[in-house]
Amino acid sequence: MEERSPTVADVLSVIEAWAPREIAWQKDNVGHLVGRRGVEVRRILVALDVTDEVIAEARHIGAQLLVTHHPLIFQPILSVTDQSRVGRLLLRLTESNIALIVAHTNLDFSKDGVSMALARALGLQELRFLHTEQGKLEKIAVFVPKDHVDTVSEAMARAGAGIIGEYSNCSFRVEGTGTFKPSERAHPFVGSPGTLEHVDEIRLEMILPSWKRIDVIEAMKAVHPYEEVAYDVYPLVNADPNYGAGVIGRLPKPVRAESFLRHIRRQLHVEHLRYVKGKSSTIQSVAVCGGACSDLIKAAIQQNADALVTADISYHTFQEAEGSIFLVDAGHFETEAVVVSPFALRLERELKQQGFSVSVIVSKEMKNPVQWL
Ligand SMILES: [Zn+2]
């Protein structure tokens, strides 16, 4: 069979299967922002931002799709003309027939997202999210005749139910007796109209992200033998371990604060760091968050991080943190650019696993707009 190119919609669904739009910050603007969904994509360029240089590069390599981290369109746009930066870039994209997909805070909050990439770039180990709250979990309980329980749970798992951390197909089953009396108009799988039935059933429970609810219920009903399926869906207050903000991990061995700073500069290719000293002069437990994450300082201190590496830290935030945590501002661009290569690699791998022929290329034209003297 000849390999086919994915469409923009195919690429979007691969990205959103691992960085679902539902976990993005409410006011964010992620997903497919420019272009036609059905266009075939043979080359994808991945970058942090849409800039004139990046669009020129996409044209030069013949890319049909640009995937960036920062949304080009964020505020409501009243006109698309060459009189504004966003308007000019949108015109250039559309005139060049280049579509745009954005994975922003949905990528921040995912495994293999921005903070995970930053933690790996700094050589941290034993990584876990610093703050988990982003996922919204529900529990579905469905009543299934015994001999259909595996078929039903398998279908629900395929639709996205039963994932807890690195475990899939998680379910709980308990036996009981279901009763029902079909009406004259019913077409029961077991029993007959007007007669009270007692049937051995399993109460099958599975966890699911709320945005998968419709898919899971449809998949469950499609293989459930009953005409009327009895099921309950409950909202949960549990945090979803699959999604979170910031990452905490450990350096392989404790290092002096000064050598930790040099390590950051080297690994993130950053010329200047801003920082305040924390409690200890050695660092081992390190929290990181790509981009502006001053709101995670408390969580990092609570979890005994010696240091927090993030960006866009204000003077007063530094003042508050001094003496409590070694707080480092390593630059917005530098703490986020580390995600681009691993993102491109995973995107290409997953598209190829689905049988698509496509190349995903990392931009060479990304640059920090902020200069230092
Ligand atoms: Zn950012």
Side-chain angles (χ1 to χ4, degrees), residues 78-131:
L78 302 181
S79 62
V80 181
T81 71
D82 57 1
Q83 298 304 297
S84 69
R85 185 185 69 93
V86 173
R88 195 180 67 242
L89 293 169
L90 286 171
L91 284 173
R92 285 201 71 186
L93 280 175
T94 52
E95 285 161 2
S96 314
N97 288 318
I98 296 170
L100 173 66
I101 288 177
V102 165
H104 188 216
T105 50
N106 50 329
L107 187 62
D108 287 332
F109 299 148
S110 302
K111 280 184 180 170
D112 288 345
V114 177
S115 297
M116 285 281 176
L118 177 58
R120 289 185 187 119
L122 294 179
L124 304 182
Q125 302 169 344
E126 301 164 42
L127 307 184
R128 58 185 168 79
F129 285 117
L130 188 57
H131 177 75

Side-chain angles (χ1 to χ4, degrees), residues 73-369:
I73 307 170
F74 197 67
Q75 312 285 1
I77 291 181
L78 302 181
S79 62
V80 181
T81 71
D82 57 1
Q83 298 304 297
S84 69
R85 185 185 69 93
V86 173
R88 195 180 67 242
L89 293 169
L90 286 171
L91 284 173
R92 285 201 71 186
L93 280 175
T94 52
E95 285 161 2
S96 314
N97 288 318
I98 296 170
L100 173 66
I101 288 177
V102 165
H104 188 216
T105 50
N106 50 329
L107 187 62
D108 287 332
F109 299 148
S110 302
K111 280 184 180 170
D112 288 345
V114 177
S115 297
M116 285 281 176
L118 177 58
R120 289 185 187 119
L122 294 179
L124 304 182
Q125 302 169 344
E126 301 164 42
L127 307 184
R128 58 185 168 79
F129 285 117
L130 188 57
H131 177 75
T132 50
E133 193 190 279
Q134 274 66 26
K136 291 179 182 63
L137 288 173
E138 295 180 347
K139 171 71 71 81
I140 183 164
V142 55
F143 303 88
V144 194
K146 236 174 167 178
D147 51 351
H148 282 73
V149 73
D150 284 330
T151 315
V152 171
S153 84
E154 186 53 42
M156 289 164 70
R158 270 201 304 273
I163 295 174
I164 303 179
E166 290 301 319
Y167 296 81
S168 63
N169 292 70
C170 303
S171 73
F172 189 77
R173 299 144 187 228
V174 58
E175 287 188 33
T177 305
T179 68
F180 50 84
K181 189 195 284 183
S183 82
E184 291 303 322
R185 288 194 295 273
H187 304 91
F189 174 67
V190 285
S192 37
T195 309
L196 181 66
E197 284 297 328
H198 290 72
V199 182
D200 289 342
E201 289 178 346
I202 305 281
R203 177 191 159 100
L204 169 69
E205 292 184 21
M206 293 177 97
I207 209 161
L208 68 149
S210 54
W211 60 89
K212 294 274 175 75
R213 189 193 310 140
I214 292 170
D215 292 349
V216 169
I217 291 172
E218 272 179 12
M220 177 265 285
K221 283 184 170 174
V223 295
H224 197 294
Y226 286 180
E227 185 176 33
E228 294 293 348
V229 180
Y231 63 93
D232 308 316
V233 180
Y234 309 90
L236 299 181
V237 292
N238 308 36
D240 188 337
N242 288 307
Y243 306 106
V247 165
I248 185 164
R250 295 174 74 75
L251 291 165
K253 53 180 201 285
V255 295
R256 294 201 58 79
E258 296 71 31
S259 43
F260 179 59
L261 289 173
R262 281 195 294 275
H263 175 68
I264 299 171
R265 285 182 56 188
R266 216 170 27 242
Q267 296 305 107
L268 304 185
H269 311 288
V270 50
E271 266 182 66
H272 298 277
L273 296 171
R274 298 158 69 230
Y275 69 95
V276 287
K277 289 181 177 165
K279 243 195 266 179
S280 130
S281 56
T282 56
I283 309 285
Q284 182 161 30
S285 169
V286 178
V288 300
C289 187
C293 306
S294 295
D295 53 339
L296 289 178
I297 295 174
K298 243 192 202 151
I301 294 172
Q302 272 167 5
Q303 292 174 52
N304 296 319
D306 301 315
L308 170 64
V309 181
T310 181
D312 298 353
I313 300 167
S314 75
Y315 174 80
H316 291 297
T317 306
F318 272 127
Q319 212 167 31
E320 282 291 314
E322 192 181 13
S324 307
I325 189 162
F326 195 85
L327 182 61
V328 184
D329 186 330
H332 195 118
F333 177 87
E334 290 81 358
T335 56
E336 293 190 335
V338 285
V339 78
V340 175
S341 288
F343 175 88
L345 271 176
R346 180 168 167 177
L347 181 59
E348 184 168 279
R349 189 179 66 236
E350 294 200 358
L351 284 163
K352 286 188 170 161
Q353 275 165 2
Q354 296 200 9
F356 291 119
S357 154
V358 66
S359 20
V360 183
I361 295 144
V362 175
S363 171
K364 296 185 177 73
E365 296 294 335
M366 293 189 299
K367 64 171 201 304
N368 188 347

